[in-house]
Amino acid sequence: MIKIVENDIEKQDALTIRKTVFVEEQGVPLEAEIDEFEEISKHIILYHEAEPAAVGRYRTYHNGYAKVERVAVLKPYRKYGYGKKVMDFINLKAKEDGFLGTVLNGQSHAKGFYEKLGYITEGEEFLEENIPHYHMKLTFS
């Protein structure tokens, strides 16, 4: 099941996944992971047989685009295509919300994943929290 987070339990499930993937696995400081956009973002959670498995969020950005952030899948669930499901769901909801498309700062190792979803790389590689990233953009048709 995939859905927009609607209550405190779902929000806590989403934060637990983000802390596991970004803070514990990748070494992002907790104070950088939990940011000023938590309350204005739409959070997405995917459950695998009632267990929290994957997350993402999006928020208003600029020029009619939404910004996708914090897409993460727990290790035991990375073989199920849940990253793609989260991204497809976010893009569907962003389109329904009237956005022209989405942008994201994708980790460099995931660049090919985002390109397969139709994202175009804009600019050079850069560091965010000491992790190489690319700014990428998808315009809805």
Side-chain angles (χ1 to χ4, degrees), residues 5-121:
V5 169
E6 297 174 336
N7 59 52
D8 289 339
I9 293 170
E10 293 168 353
K11 190 169 191 172
Q12 197 56 50
D13 286 346
L15 287 174
T16 298
I17 292 171
R18 288 172 46 194
K19 288 175 188 173
T20 300
V21 173
F22 295 120
V23 178
E24 294 171 21
E25 288 180 23
Q26 297 184 354
V28 173
L30 182 60
E31 58 274 11
E33 178 55 32
I34 309 302
D35 65 14
E36 68 271 23
F37 302 115
E38 299 300 334
E39 297 306 316
I40 63 167
S41 297
K42 284 192 181 180
H43 299 264
I44 310 305
I45 188 152
L46 183 148
Y47 289 94
H48 175 95
E49 298 174 4
E51 290 297 317
V55 294
R57 75 178 191 194
Y58 72 99
R59 61 182 169 88
T60 300
Y61 192 53
H62 59 73
N63 295 329
Y65 282 77
K67 185 159 190 194
V68 179
E69 301 170 310
R70 309 306 198 264
V71 176
V73 180
L74 289 175
K75 256 186 198 169
Y77 305 107
R78 290 183 185 156
K79 60 187 172 208
Y80 296 105
Y82 289 161
K84 181 181 183 319
K85 286 186 181 189
V86 167
M87 289 301 300
D88 288 346
F89 188 84
I90 287 173
N91 284 320
L92 173 70
K93 293 300 177 188
K95 191 172 186 176
E96 287 175 0
D97 288 348
F99 290 103
L100 301 173
T102 55
V103 297
L104 55 83
N105 293 337
Q107 292 186 7
S108 297
H109 72 84
K111 183 174 176 260
F113 165 75
Y114 291 116
E115 288 172 338
K116 285 180 186 171
L117 297 175
Y119 282 83
I120 305 295
T121 302

